[in-house]
Amino acid sequence: AQSVAQPEDQVNVAEGNPLTVKCTYSVSGNPYLFWYVQYPNRGLQFLLKYITGDNLVKGSYGFEAEFNKSQTSFHLKKPSALVSDSALYFCAVRDWNRDDKIIFGKGTRLHILP
Amino acid sequence: GAGVSQSPSNKVTEKGKDVELRCDPISGHTALYWYRQSLGQGLEFLIYFQGNSAPDKSGLPSDRFSAERTGGSVSTLTIQRTQQEDSAVYLCASSENRGGGGELFFGEGSRLTVL
């Protein structure tokens, strides 16, 4: 069965600094990988996904993520953090070989300090 | 509206009562998911419907939980004999699936409080 790990419950970054939110996954086949964001008192929003092709994918709000097959990672990054990026971020995976369900990590709370 | 619609948005019930939560997915989306979000617990998978295939019920926490999807559209999650630990936000999401790579579109959730 597939699984996702987000090793950090919380990440604090100063505004203007680069940010990274970590995600590692485990699937028996090939993964589809996703990042979602949940702002306070709002629903979950899709940020970006890796399906195939370039390992570096770009998404909404200036975020990007790099698929690393050897390290089974899909870390979320942004070159310069904004206070408005403060939110709860979820990584998710699907094993496309098995047409399986999408599983989410426990989430990482990102605090951008002004 | 064009988004995923869930009702009720808030439900307060007494322990032991049954509750029904409804999800109206985006028209044409073949995949429908239910997740549960508890404080500090992330997004817990409950059940997955894909087209006419048998649903994946592997995430349902007990036999008090059940879900159905009628006509490939609207879904209802039923919790029987509610317990306090069932208190959470129940999220529904739908997807075009598109070979499995379609992203999920989430509803605003149904917040369940069991007293």
Side-chain angles (χ1 to χ4, degrees), chain B residues 11-105:
Chain B
K11 176 72 176 179
V12 180
T13 191
E14 293 179 349
K15 178 182 173 181
K17 301 284 189 183
D18 296 352
V19 296
E20 284 190 352
L21 307 177
R22 175 188 167 105
C23 173
D24 202 340
I26 293 172
S27 178
H29 281 192
T30 59
L32 187 147
Y33 292 76
W34 284 97
Y35 295 92
R36 179 167 71 175
Q37 186 174 21
S38 307
L39 196 61
Q41 296 299 312
L43 279 170
E44 178 187 4
F45 166 78
L46 296 177
I47 188 168
Y48 162 48
F49 297 89
Q50 174 51 54
N52 295 321
S53 302
D56 181 338
K57 305 179 182 180
S58 60
L60 294 178
S62 76
D63 58 8
R64 296 186 295 104
F65 288 73
S66 63
E68 62 177 21
R69 188 178 185 192
T70 54
S73 181
V74 172
S75 177
T76 302
L77 177 68
T78 301
I79 309 173
Q80 295 179 310
R81 305 181 303 283
T82 53
Q83 303 295 312
Q84 288 184 331
E85 60 263 28
D86 299 334
S87 297
V89 177
Y90 290 82
L91 294 166
C92 176
S94 69
S95 168
E96 288 182 299
N97 210 34
R98 274 189 273 156
E103 61 266 27
L104 296 177
F105 292 81

Side-chain angles (χ1 to χ4, degrees), chain A residues 32 34 36 38 41-46 48-49 51 88 90 92 94 96 99-107 109, chain B residues 33 35 37 40-43 45 48 50 56 58-59 91 95 97-108 111:
Chain A
Y32 288 150
F34 306 83
Y36 289 81
Q38 188 175 39
N41 299 315
R42 293 177 63 181
L44 278 127
Q45 298 177 29
F46 168 76
L48 52 78
K49 65 182 177 184
I51 303 300
L88 185 57
F90 291 96
R94 183 179 194 183
W96 65 263
D99 194 24
D100 214 338
K101 55 192 175 283
I102 297 176
I103 296 298
F104 283 78
K106 290 202 165 187
R109 189 163 296 281
Chain B
Y33 292 76
Y35 295 92
Q37 186 174 21
Q41 296 299 312
L43 279 170
F45 166 78
Y48 162 48
Q50 174 51 54
D56 181 338
S58 60
L91 294 166
S95 168
N97 210 34
R98 274 189 273 156
E103 61 266 27
L104 296 177
F105 292 81
F106 281 85
E108 293 294 315
R111 181 177 297 277

Side-chain angles (χ1 to χ4, degrees), chain A residues 2-113:
Chain A
Q2 68 267 51
S3 65
V4 181
Q6 293 182 243
E8 303 152 319
D9 291 336
Q10 183 169 308
V11 171
N12 297 321
V13 177
E15 185 177 26
N17 283 2
L19 70 87
T20 298
V21 183
K22 295 179 180 177
C23 172
T24 59
Y25 67 90
S26 173
V27 297
S28 57
N30 292 299
Y32 288 150
L33 293 156
F34 306 83
W35 276 101
Y36 289 81
V37 60
Q38 188 175 39
Y39 296 104
N41 299 315
R42 293 177 63 181
L44 278 127
Q45 298 177 29
F46 168 76
L47 270 182
L48 52 78
K49 65 182 177 184
Y50 170 80
I51 303 300
T52 187
D54 282 344
N55 290 341
L56 183 66
V57 294
K58 295 185 183 295
S60 308
Y61 312 118
F63 283 94
E64 59 189 29
E66 185 166 13
F67 170 61
N68 187 318
K69 188 171 184 177
S70 62
Q71 297 185 7
T72 61
S73 67
F74 190 57
H75 301 330
L76 181 69
K77 299 183 180 185
K78 186 173 182 180
S80 178
L82 300 172
V83 172
S84 57
D85 293 329
S86 298
L88 185 57
Y89 290 81
F90 291 96
C91 182
V93 67
R94 183 179 194 183
D95 184 343
W96 65 263
N97 292 82
R98 300 180 56 201
D99 194 24
D100 214 338
K101 55 192 175 283
I102 297 176
I103 296 298
F104 283 78
K106 290 202 165 187
T108 299
R109 189 163 296 281
L110 179 63
H111 287 283
I112 307 301
L113 309 170

